[in-house]
Amino acid sequence: MKYTQLGNSDLQVSRICLGCMGFGNAGTGQHSWTVDETATREIVKHALDEGINFFDTAIAYQNGTSEEYLGRALNDFAKREDVVVATKFLPRSQQEIEKGVTGQEHIQRQLDLSLQHLGMDYVDLYIYHMWDYQTPIYDILDGMTQMVKAGKVRYIGIANCYAYQLAKANALAEKEGFAKFVSVQNHYNLLFREEEREMSKLCAEDNIAMTPYSALASGRLSRRPGEISRRLQEDSYAKLKYDGTADTDEKIILRVAELAEKYQVSMTEISLAWLLTKVTAPIAGATKLYHIDGAVKAVELDLSDEDLAYLEELYIPHKLVGVMAQNTRSGNKKEQVWMKNAPKGMQ
C-alpha cells in the first residue's frame, strides 16, 4: 500500500479508502444487498492487513448500523491512532426546521449520534454529506468548526457539491476564521467524468483532496457487460444512475476489459489505476474479501499515457444523476431515499 497526505491536513491516508456503504443491517435503510456484521469484520480485518488505514462511512448508511459495525471492528482490530475514520451528516430534516433546530445544533446532534454508533471520541474527517439549501453555509461552517474546537473532529470535508459551492464555502471560512474543507467526495469514475470540468481544477489549485465515491460505478467497471451480481440486480439507486447511459458506457467497459486481458489483471485494477492518476484516494466499497485484493493491487499498476487516452477516448458528456440530480433547491424539501428509516435523532 502507498500513502499520501489528505489535502491541506496532516492526515496520512492509504491511496485506497474502504467505503462502508455495503456494511449494515440489510433489513433497514436504503439498500437490501449490504453484508452483516460477521462479514463486515472479516472485510475490515483484511483491509487493515493489506495496509488500508482510511475508512469512510455515514450516519445515513443502513440506519446507522454501518457506523456501528465499522466502529466495533476497528476497536477490535486496530489502534485508534493508526486509522483515519470519516463519517458524514445529512441536511436538516423538515421536522427539525419546523422545530427551529439550528444548523449548529443539528451538526452537534448528528455527530454525537455518529460517535455513539462508532464507539469513538472523535472522527478524523467529518463530511457535509450534501448541500443543505435551507441552512446558511455560515451556520454549517460555524457548527463544524465548533466540533473541531471541541476535539470531536480533526478536519472537515464536503460531498455532493458543485465547485462554486466549495469555493464559496472555503472563501467564507477564510474570512470568518472557520475550519476549511480539506476534501471533497463526489461522483467520479471512468463512466462519469463531469468532475473534470471544474472541480478537478479547483482542487488542484487549492490542494483539496478528491476522494470520489462510485469509483467502480457500482460494480459496472469491475465486470463484463452481462455478468450479474446481487448488487447489480437489487441496487435500484445505482440503476437510476447508470441504466440511462448503459449503451454508450458499455463501449468504455469493454475497453477496460480489453486492457485487463492485455495486462492479465482484473477490471477493478484497470478502472482504479486510471482513477488513481486523477485523485487522492478513491473510495472502493467491498462486500467480499477479493474486492479488497483488486483495489489494493490497483495501487501498484502503472498505466501508460496511451492506455489512459484509450480509456478516456469514448467518453461523452453525462447529465447529473443520483444525489446531485435530486438534491436541488426545490428537491431538498422532499424526503429522499437516503433518509429511509433514518436513525432516531435524525428527525
Side-chain angles (χ1 to χ4, degrees):
M1 180 51 63
K2 296 178 182 177
Y3 301 86
T4 190
Q5 188 172 335
L6 188 77
N8 293 309
S9 78
D10 65 357
L11 299 173
Q12 291 294 315
V13 299
S14 50
R15 290 297 314 277
I16 295 295
C17 175
L18 181 63
C20 301
M21 190 176 75
F23 304 156
N25 182 351
T28 185
Q30 182 180 348
H31 302 297
S32 62
W33 47 267
T34 55
V35 299
D36 63 18
E37 186 160 10
T38 298
T40 296
R41 291 173 65 82
E42 292 175 351
I43 293 168
V44 170
K45 175 68 162 59
H46 189 50
L48 290 164
D49 290 344
E50 292 298 315
I52 292 175
N53 75 339
F54 190 13
F55 299 84
D56 175 85
T57 185
I59 197 169
Y61 296 164
Q62 298 308 101
N63 198 9
T65 55
S66 172
E67 290 179 323
E68 292 174 351
Y69 292 4
L70 174 66
R72 287 194 284 264
L74 291 178
N75 182 60
D76 287 346
F77 300 135
K79 293 180 180 177
R80 178 65 187 89
E81 62 271 21
D82 292 341
V83 293
V84 175
V85 178
T87 194
K88 304 182 274 296
F89 69 94
L90 288 168
R92 287 188 300 166
S93 66
Q94 287 304 120
Q95 296 95 316
E96 285 178 307
I97 292 170
E98 290 165 8
K99 291 176 182 176
V101 176
T102 66
Q104 292 90 330
E105 291 169 335
H106 168 75
I107 289 167
Q108 181 173 348
R109 290 181 184 183
Q110 292 255 294
L111 178 59
D112 286 345
L113 188 54
S114 285
L115 292 175
Q116 179 183 324
H117 291 162
L118 289 162
M120 296 177 180
D121 297 324
Y122 69 94
V123 291
D124 300 280
L125 183 65
Y126 199 39
I127 300 172
Y128 182 24
H129 204 154
M130 60 197 70
W131 198 266
D132 185 347
Y133 290 94
Q134 299 184 87
T135 303
I137 186 60
Y138 182 100
D139 293 359
I140 298 295
L141 289 168
D142 184 27
M144 297 184 84
T145 301
Q146 287 180 27
M147 297 301 95
V148 173
K149 290 179 177 178
K152 296 179 180 181
V153 171
R154 294 182 67 189
Y155 296 96
I156 66 170
I158 192 169
N160 296 299
C161 67
Y162 293 100
Y164 88 87
Q165 292 172 325
L166 174 53
K168 175 182 175 181
N170 272 354
L172 179 62
E174 184 166 352
K175 176 175 179 282
E176 299 292 341
F178 293 144
K180 287 185 177 181
F181 293 122
V182 301
S183 67
V184 61
Q185 184 181 136
N186 276 12
H187 180 198
Y188 185 23
N189 57 51
L190 262 172
L191 305 184
F192 191 88
R193 292 169 47 203
E194 301 307 299
E195 291 301 280
E196 295 173 9
R197 299 185 186 282
E198 293 194 8
M199 185 63 81
S200 294
K201 299 174 180 67
L202 171 66
C203 290
E205 286 191 16
D206 291 356
N207 193 32
I208 298 168
M210 294 183 73
T211 62
Y213 65 85
S214 283
L216 294 171
S218 302
R220 285 156 179 78
L221 284 165
S222 64
R223 56 179 59 83
R224 286 179 172 274
E227 293 181 21
I228 297 299
S229 71
R230 183 181 177 190
R231 181 175 184 182
L232 283 175
Q233 291 177 310
E234 296 183 12
D235 193 338
S236 58
Y237 201 67
K239 291 178 181 179
L240 177 70
K241 286 160 60 176
Y242 295 110
D243 279 7
T245 54
D247 290 342
T248 53
D249 292 346
E250 183 175 312
K251 298 172 185 176
I252 298 171
I253 295 171
L254 289 174
R255 288 199 171 187
V256 172
E258 181 185 335
L259 286 185
E261 188 172 332
K262 173 183 174 182
Y263 289 111
Q264 292 298 291
V265 297
S266 67
M267 291 175 62
T268 292
E269 289 166 70
I270 297 292
S271 299
L272 290 180
W274 174 83
L275 192 53
L276 281 160
T277 68
K278 311 288 186 181
V279 305
T280 304
I283 295 174
T287 53
K288 294 182 174 62
L289 294 180
Y290 73 83
H291 293 163
I292 297 289
D293 299 331
V296 170
K297 288 177 183 176
V299 177
E300 299 297 330
L301 179 60
D302 291 321
L303 298 175
S304 69
D305 290 343
E306 292 75 15
D307 292 331
L308 298 175
Y310 188 62
L311 291 169
E312 295 174 7
E313 182 182 12
L314 300 180
Y315 184 77
I316 61 173
H318 282 49
K319 292 180 179 179
L320 290 180
V321 292
V323 175
M324 290 296 289
Q326 292 178 300
N327 186 46
T328 61
R329 190 171 295 277
S330 57
N332 189 247
K333 297 181 181 181
K334 301 175 184 176
E335 186 175 19
Q336 302 287 2
V337 290
W338 50 80
M339 286 297 291
K340 182 181 178 184
N341 297 328
K344 222 169 176 184
M346 287 174 57
Q347 301 300 329

